[in-house]
Every structure is written in structure tokens, then in C-alpha cells.
Amino acid sequence: MLRQTQTELAKTLEKKPPKIQWEGVVTVIQENILKKLSHYKYLTIEQLLRFEDIGTTQYSYLWKQIRSLRDRKKPLVGCNSFPNPNPRKGKVHSIYYLNTTGRDVLINDYGYYEEDIRYKVGKHLTVTQYQHRLYTVEYQMYLDDWAERNELDILDFHAYYDTLGSNRKAKSLKARTKVELAKGKSFTPDAVYSIENENRENELHLFELYNGKDTKYIIKQLHQHAEAMAFGQVAEKYNIPKEKPYKVIVLFTHKGALQGTIKKAMADPVFSHFYEYFICKELDSNPFHSETFFDEWVNLYGEITNFY
């Protein structure tokens, strides 16, 4: 009798797995989440809430929807959470991404082609990459909004965290934006995309985000871009005429870093023939959300120029 009572008590105390809301279905809001992740690859809930077509303006309700996608028996999304590296800089948000199961749902249920889906493979994010990836995604979000307002199309946006192939077991995956130079050297722009106008004319952009203050580092990076312009490696990789100019978009998070870079570039003969193709801006006085963000950029000599 005692043994039976203990067995019944054990069953009562046994922890039942929590019930996942919307398990086995994909709601309209969840469909929108999957589609946004397939386009931007990494998004926080705060970023998702900024899309007018996401289906809700309530943080708590959106959290319930994305938690369902994350916690079900066969999750459709994954999540990277981070400790706060610096409490003075505010909250560090979790970053969500599409996994292979979510990719398959978009292919099988919504008619997507795999090549149009950005999903995560390989190693997890690290804390040191957090801010850089966040700013890169922010740039793409505001770029899309600017293009829509100006009736332009952004084509083939790929970032340094997009890889060729999907081998999860590989120790390293080659970045889609990697550009091979001479003598085994290479560099990897933070993003590459094309802007297409109504006449189907394309302008290629290579994007670099610099959130540091060491101008020596960014000058070294820009030297590689200048070499690629001189010898045509970017033109070869993206199948454009060597003589056709493309732009290197350089976004600094610190105003002083931009000013220091311009000062060094003006004294550096490497940039004398290419300075006008480097289009720069800083975020200290030109935040992403300002209406004039895509107006009045400067080249590497500090002259005012157009973004497009």
C-alpha cells in the first residue's frame, strides 16, 4: 500500500513538459516572422516590431509567437542570447534566425526557392560579433525602406555572415562576399548588393561597417578595396565590366574615425585614383532613423557626394 502511494506521488510530482501554444501550426504572424528572417537572416524582436506588416504592435504578443516557433518539438527558428558585455550601453537583445526546419516550411508550404532563403548554418554567434551584426542588419532594413520610397530595387544582398554551401560539419564556411586578391590574399566586405532602377540599370555596392576607432585598421581594409579596383577582382567576381565603376559604402559608428580616415586617405597615394568611389558617413550625427540618412555622403577626400 505504501509502495503504491509513493508511486502515485512520484507520478504527480513528475514534471510535465510545458504546452507550446500553436504547436503544429503556423499562424499568420509566425509566417510573417519566418519570411522576415529568410530575408534579413538575423533579427531581434525589437527589429521585428518595426515592420508594419508583421501583424502586431505588441511586444509581449510577438514574443509569444516567436517563442512558439523556437520551443516546439521541431523548432522553426533558433535563438542566440548574450550576456550584457557593458551595462552602460543598454540591454543586449536576443537574436533570432531561421533554421533548416523553418527553411523547409518556407519551401514546402509557401513555395520559396532555397536560394532565396537566408538561414543559419555553422557556428553560433559570439558576443564580440553582436553589435557588428546588429548594425549590418539595421543598414539593410533602412536600405530596403529607402529603396522602396525611391522606387528602386535592392538585389542579391549578401552579408559576411552568409556562406557558400550548407555543410554544418565543416570547420569553416566560405563567406559569400569574400574577394580573392593576388598571391593568396583576400578580403571580405561586410555586405554586397546591387541597386536596380526602373530602367534595369544596376549599380554594385560593397559595404563596410567600421565600429572601431583605430583608423590604421580601416585604412588597411580600404587598401584592399583599392587593390581590387585596380586589378579588377571585384569586377571579375560579379561579372561587371572592369571599367564600370562601383561604390564602396563605408559606414563609421564614430565621427572621429571618419575624420581621421579622410585625413589619412588624402595623404595616401593609394587612393588618388579611387577616392571618389568610396562613399562615407558616420552614425554619431547621422543615425539610421533620420530622414536624411541617405542624403549627402562624403568621399574619401571629404567632398560631398551622392549615395546613389
Side-chain angles (χ1 to χ4, degrees):
M1 187 70 174
L2 179 61
R3 182 179 296 177
Q4 184 180 2
T5 302
Q6 290 176 334
T7 302
E8 291 175 351
L9 180 61
K11 288 182 179 179
T12 302
L13 296 176
E14 184 180 338
K15 188 176 180 181
K16 295 182 179 180
K19 184 178 180 181
I20 305 301
Q21 197 170 7
W22 303 296
E23 178 99 47
V25 300
V26 175
T27 69
V28 173
I29 291 176
Q30 290 172 349
E31 176 188 341
N32 293 337
I33 292 170
L34 296 177
K35 290 180 177 179
K36 294 299 182 187
L37 290 175
S38 77
H39 182 69
Y40 293 101
K41 191 164 186 176
Y42 296 110
L43 288 168
T44 67
I45 293 181
E46 185 275 333
Q47 288 172 326
L48 282 163
L49 277 173
R50 281 191 258 145
F51 294 109
E52 294 182 358
D53 58 350
I54 202 66
T56 181
T57 59
Q58 301 298 316
Y59 185 100
S60 59
Y61 190 63
L62 184 60
W63 157 243
K64 290 179 181 178
Q65 296 276 344
I66 203 165
R67 183 176 62 181
S68 169
L69 293 171
R70 183 197 67 185
D71 293 347
R72 58 184 64 189
K73 291 180 181 179
K74 292 184 178 181
L76 305 185
V77 305
C79 173
N80 283 130
S81 297
F82 305 91
N84 194 340
N86 188 340
R88 292 177 296 176
K89 292 186 177 181
K91 182 179 179 181
V92 176
H93 298 274
S94 295
I95 293 180
Y96 295 89
Y97 55 85
L98 202 66
N99 63 21
T100 53
T101 307
R103 172 205 63 187
D104 292 343
V105 167
L106 287 178
I107 293 172
N108 298 325
D109 297 349
Y110 299 101
Y112 273 54
Y113 294 102
E114 182 171 1
E115 57 266 28
D116 297 329
I117 302 174
R118 298 168 77 188
Y119 60 98
K120 186 174 180 298
V121 296
K123 297 179 180 180
H124 289 290
L125 299 176
T126 64
V127 175
T128 54
Q129 295 173 315
Y130 173 82
Q131 203 66 46
H132 196 94
R133 295 200 181 205
L134 199 67
Y135 277 131
T136 303
V137 174
E138 288 282 302
Y139 177 77
Q140 186 186 0
M141 290 172 63
Y142 283 98
L143 177 69
D144 283 346
D145 180 68
W146 168 82
E148 183 177 357
R149 286 186 281 109
N150 288 275
E151 298 182 344
L152 300 168
D153 290 317
I154 304 300
L155 305 178
D156 300 321
F157 188 103
H158 293 116
Y160 68 97
Y161 41 75
D162 292 311
T163 56
L164 294 169
S166 56
N167 185 358
R168 286 180 172 271
K169 296 182 180 179
K171 293 183 179 180
S172 62
L173 296 169
K174 184 178 179 181
R176 291 185 68 110
T177 63
K178 185 176 181 179
V179 177
E180 303 288 349
L181 298 174
K183 298 180 180 179
K185 296 188 298 181
S186 66
F187 70 100
T188 303
D190 287 324
V192 180
Y193 59 89
S194 292
I195 301 177
E196 183 181 81
N197 62 24
E198 60 183 6
N199 297 321
R200 302 188 68 81
E201 297 169 330
N202 282 359
E203 180 174 276
L204 183 69
H205 282 190
L206 275 61
F207 172 71
E208 292 286 0
L209 168 71
Y210 186 55
N211 57 339
K213 296 182 179 180
D214 182 3
T215 54
K216 182 179 179 180
Y217 175 87
I218 187 62
I219 284 291
K220 182 179 179 181
Q221 187 80 356
L222 299 185
H223 273 178
Q224 294 175 317
H225 280 278
E227 179 181 338
M229 284 185 179
F231 294 99
Q233 287 97 340
V234 170
E236 181 179 353
K237 178 179 175 69
Y238 292 100
N239 195 28
I240 61 175
K242 183 179 177 181
E243 65 277 5
K244 181 180 179 180
Y246 60 90
K247 291 179 179 177
V248 179
I249 308 300
V250 191
L251 184 60
F252 296 80
T253 60
H254 301 289
K255 185 175 182 179
L258 170 58
Q259 293 172 335
T261 299
I262 289 175
K263 184 177 180 180
K264 286 187 176 181
M266 292 181 71
D268 192 332
V270 168
F271 300 110
S272 59
H273 297 293
F274 307 108
Y275 71 91
E276 62 187 304
Y277 301 121
F278 291 82
I279 313 300
C280 310
K281 185 160 260 192
E282 45 82 18
L283 288 173
D284 275 340
S285 52
N286 300 279
F288 280 119
H289 56 76
S290 60
E291 293 183 2
T292 58
F293 179 78
F294 287 98
D295 299 336
E296 293 194 355
W297 290 54
V298 296
N299 62 34
L300 268 188
Y301 280 8
E303 302 165 344
I304 294 176
T305 187
N306 294 325
F307 173 79
Y308 172 73

Short mmCIF file of all heavy atoms in Angstrom, two decimals, residues 65-110:
data_model
loop_
_atom_site.label_atom_id
_atom_site.label_comp_id
_atom_site.label_asym_id
_atom_site.label_seq_id
_atom_site.Cartn_x
_atom_site.Cartn_y
_atom_site.Cartn_z
N GLN A 65 4.54 34.51 -29.95
CA GLN A 65 4.54 33.90 -31.29
C GLN A 65 5.92 33.32 -31.63
O GLN A 65 6.03 32.19 -32.11
CB GLN A 65 4.13 34.94 -32.33
CG GLN A 65 2.72 35.47 -32.18
CD GLN A 65 1.68 34.57 -32.83
OE1 GLN A 65 2.01 33.70 -33.63
NE2 GLN A 65 0.42 34.78 -32.50
N ILE A 66 6.94 34.09 -31.37
CA ILE A 66 8.29 33.63 -31.74
C ILE A 66 8.77 32.56 -30.77
O ILE A 66 9.53 31.65 -31.15
CB ILE A 66 9.28 34.81 -31.82
CG1 ILE A 66 10.47 34.43 -32.72
CG2 ILE A 66 9.76 35.27 -30.45
CD1 ILE A 66 11.32 35.60 -33.15
N ARG A 67 8.32 32.61 -29.52
CA ARG A 67 8.66 31.55 -28.56
C ARG A 67 8.07 30.22 -29.01
O ARG A 67 8.69 29.17 -28.85
CB ARG A 67 8.15 31.93 -27.17
CG ARG A 67 8.52 30.90 -26.09
CD ARG A 67 8.09 31.37 -24.73
NE ARG A 67 6.64 31.51 -24.66
CZ ARG A 67 5.99 31.93 -23.57
NH1 ARG A 67 6.67 32.29 -22.48
NH2 ARG A 67 4.67 32.02 -23.56
N SER A 68 6.87 30.26 -29.59
CA SER A 68 6.25 29.04 -30.11
C SER A 68 7.09 28.45 -31.23
O SER A 68 7.29 27.23 -31.30
CB SER A 68 4.83 29.34 -30.61
OG SER A 68 4.31 28.26 -31.34
N LEU A 69 7.60 29.29 -32.11
CA LEU A 69 8.45 28.82 -33.20
C LEU A 69 9.76 28.24 -32.68
O LEU A 69 10.31 27.30 -33.26
CB LEU A 69 8.75 29.98 -34.16
CG LEU A 69 7.58 30.54 -34.96
CD1 LEU A 69 8.00 31.81 -35.68
CD2 LEU A 69 7.06 29.51 -35.96
N ARG A 70 10.23 28.78 -31.58
CA ARG A 70 11.53 28.36 -31.02
C ARG A 70 11.44 27.11 -30.15
O ARG A 70 12.34 26.28 -30.16
CB ARG A 70 12.10 29.51 -30.17
CG ARG A 70 13.46 29.26 -29.57
CD ARG A 70 13.75 30.24 -28.45
NE ARG A 70 12.87 30.01 -27.30
CZ ARG A 70 12.84 30.78 -26.22
NH1 ARG A 70 13.61 31.85 -26.14
NH2 ARG A 70 12.01 30.50 -25.21
N ASP A 71 10.34 26.96 -29.40
CA ASP A 71 10.27 25.94 -28.35
C ASP A 71 9.49 24.68 -28.72
O ASP A 71 9.43 23.73 -27.93
CB ASP A 71 9.66 26.54 -27.07
CG ASP A 71 10.56 27.59 -26.45
OD1 ASP A 71 11.73 27.68 -26.86
OD2 ASP A 71 10.09 28.33 -25.57
N ARG A 72 8.87 24.64 -29.90
CA ARG A 72 8.11 23.43 -30.26
C ARG A 72 9.04 22.24 -30.49
O ARG A 72 10.26 22.41 -30.59
CB ARG A 72 7.24 23.72 -31.49
CG ARG A 72 8.00 24.19 -32.72
CD ARG A 72 7.06 24.56 -33.87
NE ARG A 72 6.19 25.68 -33.57
CZ ARG A 72 5.17 26.07 -34.33
NH1 ARG A 72 4.92 25.43 -35.47
NH2 ARG A 72 4.42 27.10 -33.99
N LYS A 73 8.47 21.03 -30.56
CA LYS A 73 9.28 19.82 -30.69
C LYS A 73 10.21 19.88 -31.90
O LYS A 73 11.34 19.39 -31.86
CB LYS A 73 8.38 18.60 -30.77
CG LYS A 73 7.64 18.28 -29.47
CD LYS A 73 6.77 17.06 -29.62
CE LYS A 73 6.03 16.76 -28.32
NZ LYS A 73 5.12 15.57 -28.46
N LYS A 74 9.70 20.43 -32.98
CA LYS A 74 10.53 20.65 -34.16
C LYS A 74 10.61 22.16 -34.40
O LYS A 74 9.81 22.73 -35.15
CB LYS A 74 9.94 19.94 -35.39
CG LYS A 74 10.00 18.42 -35.30
CD LYS A 74 9.50 17.78 -36.58
CE LYS A 74 9.62 16.26 -36.51
NZ LYS A 74 9.15 15.62 -37.78
N PRO A 75 11.57 22.83 -33.75
CA PRO A 75 11.66 24.29 -33.85
C PRO A 75 11.87 24.75 -35.29
O PRO A 75 12.54 24.08 -36.08
CB PRO A 75 12.87 24.64 -32.98
CG PRO A 75 13.08 23.44 -32.11
CD PRO A 75 12.62 22.26 -32.92
N LEU A 76 11.29 25.91 -35.60
CA LEU A 76 11.47 26.51 -36.92
C LEU A 76 12.49 27.64 -36.88
O LEU A 76 13.00 28.05 -37.92
CB LEU A 76 10.14 27.04 -37.46
CG LEU A 76 8.98 26.04 -37.53
CD1 LEU A 76 7.77 26.67 -38.19
CD2 LEU A 76 9.37 24.77 -38.26
N VAL A 77 12.74 28.17 -35.69
CA VAL A 77 13.74 29.23 -35.54
C VAL A 77 14.66 28.88 -34.38
O VAL A 77 14.31 28.11 -33.48
CB VAL A 77 13.12 30.62 -35.30
CG1 VAL A 77 12.13 30.98 -36.40
CG2 VAL A 77 12.45 30.70 -33.93
N GLY A 78 15.86 29.44 -34.42
CA GLY A 78 16.80 29.33 -33.33
C GLY A 78 17.01 30.68 -32.70
O GLY A 78 16.52 31.71 -33.20
N CYS A 79 17.76 30.72 -31.62
CA CYS A 79 17.95 31.96 -30.87
C CYS A 79 19.34 31.98 -30.28
O CYS A 79 19.82 30.97 -29.74
CB CYS A 79 16.89 32.06 -29.78
SG CYS A 79 17.12 33.45 -28.65
N ASN A 80 20.01 33.11 -30.39
CA ASN A 80 21.26 33.35 -29.69
C ASN A 80 21.02 34.43 -28.64
O ASN A 80 20.62 35.54 -28.97
CB ASN A 80 22.37 33.80 -30.64
CG ASN A 80 22.96 32.66 -31.44
OD1 ASN A 80 23.08 32.74 -32.65
ND2 ASN A 80 23.32 31.58 -30.78
N SER A 81 21.24 34.09 -27.38
CA SER A 81 21.13 35.06 -26.30
C SER A 81 22.53 35.39 -25.80
O SER A 81 23.42 34.53 -25.79
CB SER A 81 20.28 34.51 -25.16
OG SER A 81 18.96 34.26 -25.60
N PHE A 82 22.72 36.61 -25.34
CA PHE A 82 24.05 37.07 -24.96
C PHE A 82 24.03 37.68 -23.57
O PHE A 82 23.06 38.34 -23.20
CB PHE A 82 24.55 38.14 -25.94
CG PHE A 82 24.54 37.71 -27.37
CD1 PHE A 82 23.43 37.94 -28.17
CD2 PHE A 82 25.63 37.10 -27.93
CE1 PHE A 82 23.41 37.54 -29.50
CE2 PHE A 82 25.62 36.69 -29.26
CZ PHE A 82 24.51 36.92 -30.03
N PRO A 83 25.10 37.53 -22.80
CA PRO A 83 25.24 38.32 -21.57
C PRO A 83 25.48 39.77 -21.96
O PRO A 83 25.96 40.05 -23.07
CB PRO A 83 26.47 37.70 -20.90
CG PRO A 83 27.26 37.13 -22.03
CD PRO A 83 26.26 36.65 -23.05
N ASN A 84 25.15 40.67 -21.09
CA ASN A 84 25.36 42.08 -21.39
C ASN A 84 26.82 42.43 -21.16
O ASN A 84 27.29 42.45 -20.02
CB ASN A 84 24.47 42.95 -20.48
CG ASN A 84 24.39 44.39 -20.98
OD1 ASN A 84 25.25 44.84 -21.73
ND2 ASN A 84 23.37 45.10 -20.57
N PRO A 85 27.60 42.69 -22.23
CA PRO A 85 29.03 42.95 -22.05
C PRO A 85 29.32 44.28 -21.38
O PRO A 85 30.37 44.46 -20.79
CB PRO A 85 29.56 42.93 -23.50
CG PRO A 85 28.38 43.30 -24.33
CD PRO A 85 27.17 42.74 -23.62
N ASN A 86 28.38 45.22 -21.49
CA ASN A 86 28.60 46.54 -20.90
C ASN A 86 27.24 47.12 -20.49
O ASN A 86 26.52 47.64 -21.33
CB ASN A 86 29.29 47.47 -21.90
CG ASN A 86 29.71 48.80 -21.26
OD1 ASN A 86 29.19 49.20 -20.23
ND2 ASN A 86 30.66 49.48 -21.89
N PRO A 87 26.88 47.06 -19.18
CA PRO A 87 25.56 47.53 -18.74
C PRO A 87 25.27 48.97 -19.10
O PRO A 87 24.12 49.36 -19.27
CB PRO A 87 25.64 47.35 -17.21
CG PRO A 87 26.69 46.32 -17.00
CD PRO A 87 27.69 46.53 -18.10
N ARG A 88 26.31 49.80 -19.26
CA ARG A 88 26.10 51.21 -19.58
C ARG A 88 25.59 51.41 -21.00
O ARG A 88 25.08 52.46 -21.35
CB ARG A 88 27.40 51.99 -19.40
CG ARG A 88 27.84 52.11 -17.95
CD ARG A 88 29.16 52.83 -17.83
NE ARG A 88 30.24 52.08 -18.49
CZ ARG A 88 31.50 52.52 -18.59
NH1 ARG A 88 31.83 53.69 -18.09
NH2 ARG A 88 32.41 51.79 -19.20
N LYS A 89 25.72 50.38 -21.86
CA LYS A 89 25.29 50.50 -23.25
C LYS A 89 23.88 49.96 -23.49
O LYS A 89 23.45 49.83 -24.62
CB LYS A 89 26.29 49.79 -24.16
CG LYS A 89 27.65 50.48 -24.21
CD LYS A 89 28.56 49.85 -25.24
CE LYS A 89 29.89 50.59 -25.32
NZ LYS A 89 30.79 50.01 -26.34
N GLY A 90 23.18 49.62 -22.40
CA GLY A 90 21.80 49.20 -22.56
C GLY A 90 21.64 47.70 -22.74
O GLY A 90 22.61 46.95 -22.76
N LYS A 91 20.41 47.27 -22.92
CA LYS A 91 20.07 45.86 -23.00
C LYS A 91 20.61 45.21 -24.27
O LYS A 91 20.60 45.82 -25.33
CB LYS A 91 18.55 45.68 -22.95
CG LYS A 91 18.09 44.24 -22.98
CD LYS A 91 16.57 44.17 -22.90
CE LYS A 91 16.10 42.73 -22.96
NZ LYS A 91 14.63 42.62 -22.92
N VAL A 92 21.09 44.00 -24.13
CA VAL A 92 21.52 43.21 -25.29
C VAL A 92 20.38 42.27 -25.66
O VAL A 92 20.00 41.42 -24.88
CB VAL A 92 22.80 42.41 -24.98
CG1 VAL A 92 23.18 41.55 -26.17
CG2 VAL A 92 23.94 43.36 -24.63
N HIS A 93 19.82 42.44 -26.84
CA HIS A 93 18.65 41.67 -27.26
C HIS A 93 19.06 40.31 -27.82
O HIS A 93 20.13 40.17 -28.42
CB HIS A 93 17.87 42.43 -28.33
CG HIS A 93 17.33 43.74 -27.85
ND1 HIS A 93 16.13 43.85 -27.21
CD2 HIS A 93 17.85 45.00 -27.93
CE1 HIS A 93 15.90 45.13 -26.91
NE2 HIS A 93 16.93 45.84 -27.33
N SER A 94 18.20 39.33 -27.62
CA SER A 94 18.41 38.03 -28.26
C SER A 94 18.21 38.17 -29.76
O SER A 94 17.39 38.96 -30.22
CB SER A 94 17.43 37.00 -27.70
OG SER A 94 17.68 36.75 -26.33
N ILE A 95 18.98 37.39 -30.52
CA ILE A 95 18.90 37.43 -31.98
C ILE A 95 18.31 36.11 -32.47
O ILE A 95 18.76 35.03 -32.10
CB ILE A 95 20.30 37.65 -32.60
CG1 ILE A 95 20.81 39.05 -32.25
CG2 ILE A 95 20.25 37.47 -34.11
CD1 ILE A 95 22.17 39.36 -32.81
N TYR A 96 17.29 36.21 -33.33
CA TYR A 96 16.60 35.03 -33.85
C TYR A 96 17.00 34.80 -35.31
O TYR A 96 17.33 35.75 -36.04
CB TYR A 96 15.08 35.21 -33.74
CG TYR A 96 14.64 35.29 -32.30
CD1 TYR A 96 14.59 36.52 -31.64
CD2 TYR A 96 14.31 34.14 -31.59
CE1 TYR A 96 14.22 36.59 -30.30
CE2 TYR A 96 13.94 34.21 -30.25
CZ TYR A 96 13.89 35.44 -29.61
OH TYR A 96 13.54 35.50 -28.29
N TYR A 97 16.94 33.54 -35.71
CA TYR A 97 17.32 33.18 -37.08
C TYR A 97 16.53 31.95 -37.51
O TYR A 97 16.02 31.18 -36.69
CB TYR A 97 18.82 32.89 -37.16
CG TYR A 97 19.30 31.83 -36.19
CD1 TYR A 97 19.22 30.47 -36.49
CD2 TYR A 97 19.81 32.21 -34.95
CE1 TYR A 97 19.64 29.51 -35.60
CE2 TYR A 97 20.24 31.24 -34.04
CZ TYR A 97 20.15 29.90 -34.37
OH TYR A 97 20.57 28.95 -33.47
N LEU A 98 16.43 31.77 -38.80
CA LEU A 98 15.74 30.62 -39.38
C LEU A 98 16.67 29.41 -39.35
O LEU A 98 17.85 29.53 -39.67
CB LEU A 98 15.38 30.97 -40.83
CG LEU A 98 14.26 30.20 -41.53
CD1 LEU A 98 12.92 30.49 -40.88
CD2 LEU A 98 14.24 30.59 -43.01
N ASN A 99 16.14 28.24 -38.95
CA ASN A 99 16.93 27.02 -39.03
C ASN A 99 16.50 26.20 -40.25
O ASN A 99 15.66 26.65 -41.05
CB ASN A 99 16.85 26.22 -37.73
CG ASN A 99 15.43 25.74 -37.42
OD1 ASN A 99 14.58 25.65 -38.31
ND2 ASN A 99 15.16 25.44 -36.16
N THR A 100 17.05 25.01 -40.41
CA THR A 100 16.74 24.22 -41.60
C THR A 100 15.29 23.75 -41.65
O THR A 100 14.72 23.61 -42.73
CB THR A 100 17.68 23.01 -41.70
OG1 THR A 100 17.63 22.27 -40.48
CG2 THR A 100 19.11 23.45 -41.95
N THR A 101 14.70 23.52 -40.47
CA THR A 101 13.29 23.13 -40.44
C THR A 101 12.40 24.28 -40.91
O THR A 101 11.46 24.10 -41.69
CB THR A 101 12.86 22.68 -39.03
OG1 THR A 101 13.76 21.67 -38.56
CG2 THR A 101 11.45 22.13 -39.03
N GLY A 102 12.72 25.48 -40.44
CA GLY A 102 11.98 26.66 -40.90
C GLY A 102 12.17 26.90 -42.39
O GLY A 102 11.24 27.29 -43.10
N ARG A 103 13.40 26.66 -42.86
CA ARG A 103 13.66 26.76 -44.29
C ARG A 103 12.76 25.80 -45.07
O ARG A 103 12.16 26.18 -46.09
CB ARG A 103 15.12 26.42 -44.56
CG ARG A 103 15.50 26.29 -46.03
CD ARG A 103 16.71 25.40 -46.21
NE ARG A 103 16.44 24.03 -45.78
CZ ARG A 103 17.39 23.09 -45.70
NH1 ARG A 103 18.64 23.37 -46.01
NH2 ARG A 103 17.06 21.87 -45.31
N ASP A 104 12.65 24.56 -44.59
CA ASP A 104 11.85 23.56 -45.30
C ASP A 104 10.37 23.94 -45.33
O ASP A 104 9.67 23.67 -46.31
CB ASP A 104 12.03 22.19 -44.64
CG ASP A 104 13.44 21.64 -44.82
OD1 ASP A 104 14.16 22.14 -45.70
OD2 ASP A 104 13.81 20.72 -44.06
N VAL A 105 9.89 24.56 -44.26
CA VAL A 105 8.49 25.01 -44.23
C VAL A 105 8.26 26.07 -45.30
O VAL A 105 7.24 26.04 -46.02
CB VAL A 105 8.13 25.56 -42.83
CG1 VAL A 105 6.80 26.33 -42.87
CG2 VAL A 105 8.02 24.41 -41.83
N LEU A 106 9.19 27.01 -45.44
CA LEU A 106 9.04 28.04 -46.47
C LEU A 106 9.07 27.43 -47.87
O LEU A 106 8.35 27.89 -48.76
CB LEU A 106 10.14 29.10 -46.32
CG LEU A 106 10.01 30.05 -45.13
CD1 LEU A 106 11.20 31.01 -45.09
CD2 LEU A 106 8.72 30.85 -45.21
N ILE A 107 9.89 26.42 -48.07
CA ILE A 107 9.99 25.77 -49.38
C ILE A 107 8.72 24.96 -49.68
O ILE A 107 8.11 25.09 -50.74
CB ILE A 107 11.23 24.87 -49.45
CG1 ILE A 107 12.51 25.73 -49.40
CG2 ILE A 107 11.21 24.03 -50.73
CD1 ILE A 107 13.78 24.91 -49.26
N ASN A 108 8.33 24.11 -48.72
CA ASN A 108 7.24 23.16 -48.97
C ASN A 108 5.85 23.76 -48.84
O ASN A 108 4.93 23.36 -49.56
CB ASN A 108 7.37 21.97 -48.00
CG ASN A 108 8.66 21.20 -48.19
OD1 ASN A 108 9.15 21.07 -49.30
ND2 ASN A 108 9.23 20.71 -47.10
N ASP A 109 5.68 24.73 -47.95
CA ASP A 109 4.35 25.29 -47.69
C ASP A 109 4.11 26.64 -48.35
O ASP A 109 2.95 27.02 -48.56
CB ASP A 109 4.11 25.43 -46.18
CG ASP A 109 4.12 24.08 -45.46
OD1 ASP A 109 4.09 23.05 -46.16
OD2 ASP A 109 4.16 24.07 -44.22
N TYR A 110 5.19 27.37 -48.66
CA TYR A 110 5.00 28.72 -49.18
C TYR A 110 5.68 28.95 -50.53
O TYR A 110 5.72 30.07 -51.03
CB TYR A 110 5.50 29.75 -48.16
CG TYR A 110 4.73 29.67 -46.86
CD1 TYR A 110 5.26 29.02 -45.75
CD2 TYR A 110 3.45 30.21 -46.74
CE1 TYR A 110 4.56 28.93 -44.56
CE2 TYR A 110 2.73 30.12 -45.56
CZ TYR A 110 3.29 29.47 -44.48
OH TYR A 110 2.58 29.37 -43.29
#
